[in-house]
Amino acid sequence: MEYTTLNNGIKMPMVGFGVFQIPDPAVCQEVVETAIKTGYRLIDTAEAYGNEEAVGKAIKAAGVPREELFITTKAFIQHINYEGVKEAFAESLRKLDLDYLDLYLLHQPIGDTFGAWRALEELYKEGKVRAIGVSNFKDDQIANLSLFNEITPAVNQIELHVFHQKEKSVAYQTSKGVQVESWGAFAEGQFDVFNNPVLTAIAQKHGKTTAQVMLRWQLQRGIVSLSKSANPERVRQNVDIFDFELSVDDMAAIKGLNTDTTVFNDHHDPKTVELLAGYVGKSF
Ligand code: NAP
């Protein structure tokens, strides 16, 4: 495993395993245990994924010392306010059966993000979480939150894949000490990405899969990547990316796939805010 150093000096694995859309507790527990035994050290869950208990059981069953693991979870919109974060954090720790977290994130830039951030700062100062960050924040929101609070987020977890490469955002956030972490590293398989001809040619040249090429591309850009698979063979494949290197030409060819457009939801579109707020019963 390779590591990056966050803005508060702690180490974070460069490749992580995400558990979004693995609702079955038995399946989730099994794949997370496989992932840890295979070499993943970063596990990414969220209260909204409904599987923190399964993740906690897998952590215990895998038998790897707690201090070697990097466990992330996130507060969802209904808890993005001062009191809500305190409650959600305690509940996540209880479900995960842990006594501290490595990274706690505000899942969306929606709700009372400033109140929520002050609660995160307190949890951090109390030693209950080793690093605090955000998810789906745009550059202006990172600047606003950082300039008017004490602590700059250590991490921003955002949609980032070969179709939406976000060069300007990565440069801006990195320059402010915010580590970019990607979600949807495979664009969730959209546009037949695993059979993309550019990626297939590069994969064949290196004797790797297109999935491995996509994750290696993120690593070489200095981005922490998350991927999800419920298939044990693909779980193993997705962490086996440290024994080859993409050339300058490979990186340039992948750059050509960029469409600079989200393939999910634009968090600056009010319709996205309305959609996400609707999940927690808020509407005009
Ligand atoms: P993803 O990793 O881009 O794609 C997952 C899809 O790719 C699944 O259908 C999986 O199928 C397939 N797959 C995985 N490895 C493969 C391989 N080697 N070959 C072929 N197919 C493969 O999507 P994601 O789960 O949305 O994103 C990853 C993680 O990011 C999540 O689990 C979550 O932790 C995080 N995330 C965060 C946010 C946020 O708002 N912060 C949003 C979305 C996701 P199989 O399972 O069948 O292998």
Side-chain angles (χ1 to χ4, degrees), residues 6 20 88 148 171 213 231:
L6 300 180
F20 181 38
F148 291 94
V213 167
N231 172 305

Side-chain angles (χ1 to χ4, degrees), residues 46-62:
E47 63 161 319
Y49 301 169
N51 52 22
E52 288 170 312
E53 276 164 334
V55 170
K57 286 182 185 159
I59 290 169
K60 296 266 180 318

Side-chain angles (χ1 to χ4, degrees), residues 2 7-8 14 16 21 26 30 47 56 96 104 120 143 147 151 163 176 185 197 204-205 208 226 251 278 280:
E2 292 183 15
N7 62 13
N8 64 351
M14 289 296 294
Q21 297 175 132
E30 191 184 336
E47 63 161 319
L96 286 159
Y104 195 51
L120 279 185
L147 289 168
I151 300 177
F163 303 127
K176 302 301 171 205
Q204 281 171 355
K205 198 171 72 178
K208 288 285 180 179
L226 291 175
M251 295 295 281
V280 298

